[in-house]
Amino acid sequence: MSDFQSIAYATDGRIATITLNRPDRFNAIDDHMPGEIARAVAKADADPDVHVILVRGAGPGFCGGYDLVDYAEAKGAVSGSQDMPWDPTLDFAMMWKNTQDFMSLWRARKPTIACVHGAAIAGGSDIALCCDFLIMTEDARIGYPPARVWGVPTPSMWVYRLGAQAAKRMMMTGDVITGREAQAMGLALSAPPEDAFEGEIGKLVGRLQGVPRNQLMMTKMVVNQAYENMGLNSTQMMATFFDGVSRHSPEGIWFRERAQEVGFKQAVVERDSGDPIATQVSKRG
């Protein structure tokens, strides 16, 4: 639709579909996408015919995260990476808005389903995990590799969906897991083979769309309130602040300098190689 740049929005009967629509960049998150997701959720919430909201990715995958090729390789101050001295309040304001835009999927009055094929990486996993349900193809991948250096998942949904031990494993290692592994951990509701993916989504949608909208809203609010009572909002505030810190720590600054020197993809290979980041930082001198 003409009123969206980075997503597409469509309805079919009782289903609204939000499609992350930058397939040439693996649907990487740009400056437009978070706010457009929130606007599309509001549009679906206001539509009396819609009972279920699907979130999909155009092209070969769901979402590869923030468009860090631009953000990490660019010279000078850019969104999310300031020249020193760093002002954490500016960083927090930007990322907090993005976090709340993604959380519109969690707080929508109607159930939201992330339909993940290909991969949901870094910020893409944030979008997927803010949905009520996660269905992945068995070989799709999900994870937050920037947790190794240069990022903290601001919605912090890993802990609320997995519990402490598994969340620490995912957030401390930056591991990327398959749909099969995600289902075994209880992260994904199901992870069928690719040829059964649409059928699996259809089964859940079929069960949900026959429920009155008021019932869906009430039952969702009850579950969500339990998590709000556990301190979800304050956890996200801390995570959003630390996300900014991670991009301006000595290791975070090294990572961006390395991305500018050898390119973002090579910097990621080095970050994820297992070579201690402290050693890499010491090499700067």
Side-chain angles (χ1 to χ4, degrees):
M1 293 181 63
S2 60
D3 53 340
F4 295 115
Q5 285 187 232
S6 299
I7 69 165
Y9 178 85
T11 58
D12 181 11
R14 294 186 168 191
I15 305 166
T17 301
I18 298 169
T19 303
L20 312 181
N21 196 30
R22 302 184 70 221
D24 56 322
R25 299 298 288 266
F26 208 80
N27 302 318
I29 300 163
D30 62 5
D31 291 341
H32 304 287
M33 188 177 288
E36 290 186 358
I37 289 171
R39 284 169 46 208
V41 169
K43 190 179 184 74
D45 254 352
D47 189 337
D49 293 328
V50 170
H51 285 227
V52 183
I53 302 170
L54 302 183
V55 184
R56 296 179 175 272
F62 184 80
C63 178
Y66 282 88
D67 204 338
L68 294 182
V69 171
D70 289 342
Y71 293 149
E73 291 183 2
K75 302 294 183 181
V78 294
S79 180
S81 186
Q82 301 172 35
D83 285 338
M84 290 298 187
W86 164 56
D87 185 342
T89 64
L90 296 178
D91 199 293
F92 180 85
M94 176 196 69
M95 288 306 301
W96 185 245
K97 182 182 184 305
N98 287 1
T99 299
Q100 296 310 304
D101 286 341
F102 296 155
M103 284 295 288
S104 67
L105 294 160
W106 177 261
R107 298 191 171 112
R109 295 192 298 273
K110 298 166 184 180
T112 54
I113 305 172
C115 310
V116 174
H117 73 294
I121 301 297
S125 69
D126 288 340
I127 295 171
L129 297 184
C130 284
C131 293
D132 300 311
F133 300 98
L134 173 62
I135 296 178
M136 303 174 63
T137 60
E138 61 181 356
D139 58 352
R141 292 162 293 128
I142 190 168
Y144 202 95
R148 296 183 66 85
V149 170
W150 225 57
V152 173
T154 60
S156 299
M157 297 304 290
W158 295 98
V159 65
Y160 294 99
R161 302 190 71 136
L162 285 175
Q165 180 170 252
K168 287 177 181 177
R169 176 250 170 137
M170 295 301 297
M171 292 175 65
M172 290 181 177
T173 65
D175 283 350
V176 173
I177 59 174
T178 65
R180 288 186 298 273
E181 293 172 292
Q183 183 179 19
M185 294 169 68
L187 185 67
L189 182 66
S190 60
E194 188 173 353
D195 59 3
F197 184 51
E198 294 301 329
E200 195 70 15
I201 295 167
K203 284 194 293 186
L204 178 59
V205 169
R207 294 295 294 162
L208 293 170
Q209 69 178 349
V211 179
R213 285 181 295 110
N214 53 17
Q215 284 293 131
L216 292 169
M217 176 180 173
M218 288 186 287
T219 50
K220 178 171 176 172
M221 286 181 67
V222 167
V223 176
N224 282 12
Q225 188 58 46
Y227 287 89
E228 295 292 346
N229 292 344
M230 291 167 61
L232 175 60
N233 188 69
S234 56
T235 298
Q236 291 177 339
M237 290 180 68
M238 177 181 288
T240 301
F241 177 75
F242 283 161
D243 183 56
V245 173
S246 74
R247 280 179 267 108
H248 298 88
S249 67
E251 295 82 2
I253 291 171
W254 164 80
F255 178 78
R256 187 169 180 225
E257 289 176 349
R258 190 63 178 155
Q260 291 170 343
E261 179 183 354
V262 300
F264 176 67
K265 291 183 179 179
Q266 177 60 29
V268 167
V269 170
E270 295 176 9
R271 178 193 68 190
D272 297 347
S273 68
D275 188 18
I277 294 298
T279 302
Q280 296 287 355
V281 173
S282 70
K283 292 177 183 176
R284 291 192 302 155

